[in-house]
Amino acid sequence: MSTPQPSSIEENEIILGTGMGPLRFGATMDEVRTLVGEPEEIEESDDDDEFEHKAWNYHEEDYLLSLYFDREDDFRLSCIETDNPGMRLFGEAIHGLSVDQVKALMQRHSQPAPEIEEMEEGAVRLSYEKSMIDLYFEEGELQFVNFGVFINDDMEVQWPK
């Protein structure tokens, strides 16, 4: 019987407003490169996008990790998107949970009610605007999460300390 490595849990732990595992919002591209290596793919925003950004995509064995760097934030890490099956939030595994299970988890951690959007082909998005996290469900199960650095009421980025 093998025991999971403690670092694997920490590596996949989403910390709202802060990052995931060793990845911290506010990190430079060089700092991120040191932590996770060169991305397999780099996407740049289109000219007509409201925010100029770069997305670094890492294709792991069974999941995708995308890291976003916005020009207006000096290309510091500001958003993470992942469908990692080992992702955790508030210390609990969340991949594959139902909408109601995720809402209950968020409520237990004093998160206000989410905005719920029905998307194409029955997909659902839960958005917790103050916590800067969107959770995407397909066929009733959480598939991927997009979360970012906190922004205050004056639209100022609140980099983690």
Side-chain angles (χ1 to χ4, degrees), residues 1 4-5 19-20 26 34 42 51-52 55 57 62-63 71 73 87 98 101 105 115 131-132 142 144 147 149 154-155:
M1 182 159 80
Q5 298 292 325
M20 184 172 84
T34 298
I42 297 177
F51 299 106
E52 185 180 336
N57 297 319
D62 55 352
Y63 69 92
R71 185 175 70 79
D73 295 324
M87 65 183 154
S98 70
Q101 288 172 313
L105 171 66
E115 289 182 26
S131 297
M132 297 298 292
L142 180 63
F144 69 96
F147 56 101
V149 67
D154 296 325
M155 300 303 292

Side-chain angles (χ1 to χ4, degrees), residues 59-111:
H59 302 274
E60 301 298 330
E61 281 181 30
D62 55 352
Y63 69 92
L64 175 67
L65 174 67
S66 296
L67 307 176
Y68 293 87
F69 304 85
D70 292 328
R71 185 175 70 79
E72 72 176 36
D73 295 324
D74 299 320
F75 289 107
R76 293 162 67 191
L77 180 63
S78 60
C79 185
I80 299 172
E81 184 171 284
T82 186
D83 63 354
N84 185 324
M87 65 183 154
R88 303 173 68 80
L89 181 61
F90 302 117
E92 296 186 32
I94 59 171
H95 192 267
L97 292 182
S98 70
V99 170
D100 288 340
Q101 288 172 313
V102 170
K103 285 169 58 177
L105 171 66
M106 297 298 275
Q107 188 173 20
R108 284 195 306 274
H109 292 276
S110 304
Q111 298 296 312

Side-chain angles (χ1 to χ4, degrees), residues 18-74:
T18 300
M20 184 172 84
L23 292 168
R24 293 291 184 252
F25 296 130
T28 66
M29 290 178 164
D30 286 339
E31 290 168 336
V32 169
R33 189 178 286 113
T34 298
L35 284 171
V36 291
E38 289 292 333
E40 281 88 347
E41 174 185 35
I42 297 177
E43 295 177 32
E44 298 203 27
S45 54
D46 295 329
D47 292 337
D48 59 347
D49 280 349
E50 185 177 344
F51 299 106
E52 185 180 336
H53 67 272
K54 291 183 182 189
W56 287 12
N57 297 319
Y58 295 86
H59 302 274
E60 301 298 330
E61 281 181 30
D62 55 352
Y63 69 92
L64 175 67
L65 174 67
S66 296
L67 307 176
Y68 293 87
F69 304 85
D70 292 328
R71 185 175 70 79
E72 72 176 36
D73 295 324
D74 299 320

